[in-house]
Amino acid sequence: MAQVTLAEALALPAFRRAAPRVVAGRAGLERPIRWVHATERVDVGELLRSGDLVLTMGTGLPPDSDQEGLRAFVQDLAEVESVGLVVELGGRWDAELPPALVDACEALSVPLIVLANETRFAALAQEIGERVVDEQLAELRDAQRVHETFTELSFGQAGPAEILEAVQRLAGGPVVVENAQHRPLDYLAGSEDMSGFLDGWPARSKRVAVSGRTGWDEGNGWLVTRLGSTEQIWGRLVIGSPTPPSQRLIAVAERAAAALALHRLHDRDRGNLMRRTHQEILNGLQTDPDSPEVLRRCELAGFPARRRRFLGLVVRPRITGHPQADPDELAAAIVRGAHALRVPALVCEAERDLRVLISVTPSANADAIADRLGSRLAQQHDVIVAVGRVVPDRTGIARTMMEAGQVADAAPQARRVLDPDVHRLEDLHLRGLLALFGEDERLQLFVDRELSPLKDHDRAEGARTDLLAALRALLRHPASKTDAAASLHLSRAAFYDRLAKIEDVLGVDLDDPDVRVSLHVALVADELFSRAEN
């Protein structure tokens, strides 16, 4: 809403000529003026509304000796939230106002201004009115500009980059789109130096909660708008706003959120259709790579399949107990990443995975491309990126995709400090070897033979003695039984009792290196089997 504050009004030419002086209630000078009333009535409170400014010469006010009457007059102004009282000297009072009037205005935070020079109240009211109208016209022009900008973007089905560029242009500050996990997806810096704007972003953003769809966080200086419905929030739009945002900036944020939601809806439809198409093409390339129909569909999809090398990837959200990335959002991130690297890619969904096949020229470094793509994804999403080996032609596509799936199955669920962004068979060591066996029946028999006695014992004893967990802790901390006991929150004595029980149940010596290796292999294989079942 267009506003002219009392402080701004006092700076207008007509007021300056009247030589205004604030004698009380200075703290209220930033209140906006809604209207101006010139009156000598003592019962003016009946005519006023919130934001009205009163101009008077004081001739109708109670006598100076009637202190209660003067206080009651100011009380009426405060109760209707009048923006202030302006008194022209020379009519009733020549130099000083009654102390009772001044004290009441100060006590009730009603700004009191005296005008030393004679002036026409009509000129003051006209100048304030014209200023308000000018502000309103400017606001309407701004609103029309915002409306036209986002209407044009919507009709053009603009993407996030174009929408954010429009927001930055209209807002003049930095703009961030983050996902539901508070990780920045897109960022545009403002016109001023905003270095450090993204520092510590996830932690800072998690602490910011706004009521309603849009709100301002004073601590960070952020205008935050929810992206998505109340039931399904997929992210937030954040605009840098060090001072309280104007209605225009709030309108920009909410129109931008609507445009992003519309794009997401269109993109979801396009993405679902694209992934279905890519799934059919990938299936064809794996089962009949030389089929003329499959090659024709590759050409139509813009995926080069002749005289190219190929590399398969599997992208799988980690199971961490936290909300997982939305599959549509993750697929869109893969498509954007491949586009940025200028590498043709098929992207499709299979169960909980996103499967990706990239096509490269014979001279390109396919592994380096996969590493760059994996790093981009790991910065935005908590995922496992698994890669097969590069194959020299279409006949190897089924193999590279299968290997990528095996690597995804074998990769550790919990991300460790030294883990690479992209996993390959050679990075997984024992896990990689066991993944190559898949669900081989002989490996399953080996696992059962090694671990079944412990599983049977744990089932019989319940939670009293978890021998399988004790064995796992021992093998994960081979150099220190103290650390192994601490990982289970057990005393050394209690942990040693469980190790003795394991030796008794299995009939083995846990200090025998061959026994330890055998049990370690069985535990890793059992973990892989359990994950495959889930």
Side-chain angles (χ1 to χ4, degrees):
M1 185 69 181
Q3 297 176 341
V4 176
T5 67
L6 182 52
E8 291 171 337
L10 296 179
L12 294 174
F15 266 102
R16 289 203 308 270
R17 287 193 294 270
R21 178 168 57 90
V22 181
V23 296
R26 182 176 295 275
L29 292 179
E30 295 306 317
R31 295 173 183 168
I33 298 173
R34 188 198 70 86
W35 197 249
V36 180
H37 283 280
T39 182
E40 301 303 323
R41 291 178 52 176
V42 71
D43 59 348
V44 68
E46 300 176 1
L47 307 176
L48 301 180
R49 289 190 294 174
S50 176
D52 287 353
L53 177 66
V54 176
L55 309 178
T56 186
M57 297 181 69
T59 56
L61 298 187
D64 294 5
S65 59
D66 186 2
Q67 297 183 10
E68 288 301 320
L70 290 172
R71 279 194 288 268
F73 172 72
V74 177
Q75 181 70 43
D76 287 345
L77 297 183
E79 287 179 355
V80 297
E81 297 181 336
S82 169
V83 79
L85 176 65
V86 178
V87 179
E88 181 184 281
L89 299 178
R92 173 174 170 178
W93 298 293
D94 291 330
E96 299 295 331
L97 301 182
L101 181 65
V102 175
D103 292 345
C105 286
E106 185 65 35
L108 296 172
S109 299
V110 176
L112 176 61
I113 296 98
V114 297
L115 304 179
N117 299 332
E118 183 179 347
T119 188
R120 294 173 55 245
F121 283 171
L124 298 180
Q126 179 181 353
E127 194 160 37
I128 292 174
E130 289 175 349
R131 177 67 179 271
V132 169
V133 170
D134 288 344
E135 292 286 338
Q136 289 175 338
L137 288 175
E139 186 178 73
L140 288 173
R141 284 193 291 269
D142 277 345
Q144 181 65 21
R145 182 185 174 203
V146 170
H147 172 74
E148 290 175 351
T149 297
F150 286 104
T151 298
E152 184 177 343
L153 289 171
S154 297
F155 280 134
Q157 296 188 8
E162 296 169 280
I163 294 170
L164 293 192
E165 287 172 1
V167 174
Q168 183 200 46
R169 190 168 60 252
L170 294 168
V175 186
V176 177
V177 172
E178 65 174 19
N179 63 15
Q181 289 74 44
H182 303 282
R183 295 186 181 185
L185 300 177
D186 289 292
Y187 167 65
L188 287 179
S191 55
E192 300 179 2
D193 180 17
M194 299 294 289
S195 57
F197 189 72
L198 289 180
D199 289 352
W201 184 274
R204 292 165 59 203
S205 180
K206 287 176 184 177
R207 293 193 292 267
V208 174
V210 296
S211 58
R213 174 174 289 277
T214 302
W216 182 60
D217 180 71
E218 183 177 4
N220 287 298
W222 292 355
L223 177 62
V224 182
T225 303
R226 184 181 69 225
L227 299 175
S229 63
T230 305
E231 297 76 20
Q232 191 173 13
I233 299 173
W234 58 267
R236 300 196 298 187
L237 172 69
V238 179
I239 301 175
S241 178
T243 58
S246 63
Q247 287 297 321
R248 173 184 177 275
L249 187 58
I250 293 173
V252 168
E254 295 190 341
R255 286 299 304 269
L260 288 168
L262 184 61
H263 172 268
R264 183 178 175 85
L265 181 63
H266 291 318
D267 198 46
R268 187 185 295 267
D269 290 339
R270 289 194 298 265
N272 287 339
L273 177 60
M274 179 201 74
R275 292 200 295 277
R276 285 196 299 271
T277 301
H278 284 194
Q279 177 71 72
E280 294 169 359
I281 295 173
L282 182 56
N283 288 342
L285 287 171
Q286 292 181 94
T287 58
D288 191 2
D290 294 325
S291 165
E293 175 61 22
V294 171
L295 295 177
R296 186 184 69 82
R297 295 196 68 181
C298 287
E299 292 176 3
L300 292 175
F303 184 78
R306 303 177 191 272
R307 294 182 294 279
R308 307 282 287 198
R309 296 193 303 153
F310 303 91
L311 182 61
L313 297 87
V314 167
V315 180
R316 177 179 297 172
R318 294 183 188 273
I319 302 173
T320 60
H322 301 293
Q324 294 184 358
D326 180 85
D328 293 311
E329 183 179 313
L330 188 54
I334 296 171
V335 171
R336 288 195 300 268
H339 180 74
L341 294 173
R342 298 183 179 181
V343 56
L346 297 177
V347 181
C348 58
E349 193 172 350
E351 299 176 354
R352 57 177 174 157
D353 297 334
L354 285 164
R355 299 185 180 180
V356 184
L357 180 68
I358 63 175
S359 169
V360 300
T361 61
S363 59
N365 188 335
D367 284 315
I369 292 172
D371 287 339
R372 290 199 293 271
L373 179 59
S375 295
R376 290 175 64 100
L377 292 175
Q379 290 172 8
Q380 298 178 358
H381 302 282
D382 192 10
V383 293
I384 294 169
V385 182
V387 180
R389 286 174 294 183
V390 181
V391 293
D393 53 45
R394 295 189 303 274
T395 60
I397 288 175
R399 184 173 76 251
T400 186
M401 293 304 306
M402 179 185 68
E403 288 179 356
Q406 291 171 340
V407 173
D409 290 339
Q413 271 298 319
R415 186 177 180 88
R416 299 171 300 192
V417 176
L418 298 179
D419 278 350
D421 290 331
V422 174
H423 294 276
R424 294 179 171 84
L425 277 174
E426 56 266 30
D427 302 322
L428 299 174
H429 308 294
L430 175 61
R431 288 177 175 272
L433 173 64
L434 295 176
L436 290 176
F437 285 101
E439 297 183 24
D440 189 287
E441 185 177 308
R442 291 167 296 179
L443 183 58
Q444 182 68 70
L445 289 173
F446 167 75
V447 172
D448 291 341
R449 185 171 63 249
E450 294 290 309
L451 302 180
S452 287
L454 293 182
K455 292 182 177 181
D456 292 341
H457 179 275
D458 286 344
R459 278 193 293 268
E461 295 292 325
R464 286 178 294 176
T465 57
D466 191 345
L467 298 186
L468 204 62
L471 176 62
R472 189 176 291 110
L474 174 69
L475 297 175
R476 286 179 177 174
H477 301 84
S480 172
K481 291 180 181 178
T482 300
D483 291 343
S487 71
L488 296 176
H489 307 289
L490 293 174
S491 66
R492 282 177 56 90
F495 185 64
Y496 275 105
D497 285 343
R498 294 197 181 181
L499 295 184
K501 188 64 176 178
I502 292 172
E503 291 181 327
D504 183 55
V505 170
L506 295 180
V508 297
D509 178 4
L510 290 179
D511 290 329
D512 185 330
D514 289 341
V515 169
R516 287 203 181 196
V517 169
S518 183
L519 289 172
H520 184 67
V521 170
L523 280 174
V524 173
D526 188 54
E527 178 187 332
L528 296 178
F529 284 139
S530 299
R531 193 187 302 175
E533 291 173 359
N534 295 331

